[in-house]
Amino acid sequence: RVKVLEVPWALPPGLRWHPKDWWHGKRDGWCGPMDLVRLHVLGMKEYDAVVFYDQDVELQGDISAMLQCAASGRFLSASGSSGAALNVGFFAVRPDSRLLDAAELFASKVTFNDETGWSEA
């Protein structure tokens, strides 16, 4: 079963950082709205487990074992490309509204730097 939801934001409220040459409504130059809107999956607490897939993923086979694993409290993802620790094109998680709240708080408190990443991590 697929459920399509309208969500209240594509960028977290109070987001402190975006590229200097980008503005709300600009369609190129930054993937922030497309990337950050997926955070809403974290708050879908009416489900035992949820999965986010990018639009270029083709499902093949039964995903119930993955959902059961996520429902047990494990966060599932794949490694990212170019040395990134996380691939946000796929993840499975047991939803918890506190995770979404934490993401919104993080977005409102930190900035990004090309050399040091988010919050100088």
Side-chain angles (χ1 to χ4, degrees), residues 3-120:
K3 186 175 184 179
V4 177
L5 298 172
E6 185 173 337
V7 296
W9 51 260
L11 291 172
L15 181 67
R16 282 191 60 196
W17 182 90
H18 60 74
K20 289 180 174 57
D21 61 347
W22 184 88
W23 57 88
H24 291 281
K26 185 176 181 186
R27 297 192 179 274
D28 63 348
W30 186 48
C31 297
M34 180 177 67
D35 287 342
L36 297 173
V37 71
R38 65 192 74 195
L39 292 171
H40 288 284
V41 170
L42 301 173
M44 300 175 89
K45 59 187 176 184
E46 64 272 20
Y47 298 98
D48 295 329
V50 291
V51 179
F52 178 88
Y53 292 104
D54 262 350
Q55 69 276 9
D56 61 349
V57 172
E58 178 180 334
L59 297 179
Q60 297 183 358
D62 184 4
I63 64 166
S64 60
M66 179 191 53
L67 289 168
Q68 290 170 347
C69 188
S72 75
R74 290 179 171 84
F75 179 85
L76 306 173
S77 186
S79 62
S81 61
S82 303
L86 180 66
N87 178 344
V88 293
F90 156 75
F91 62 91
V93 65
R94 180 174 57 201
D96 185 329
S97 59
R98 294 175 299 177
L99 295 172
L100 181 57
D101 293 344
E104 289 179 359
L105 181 64
F106 183 85
S108 72
K109 301 287 184 193
V110 303
T111 60
F112 179 83
N113 177 298
D114 285 331
E115 293 178 21
T116 60
W118 289 100
S119 193
E120 298 185 23

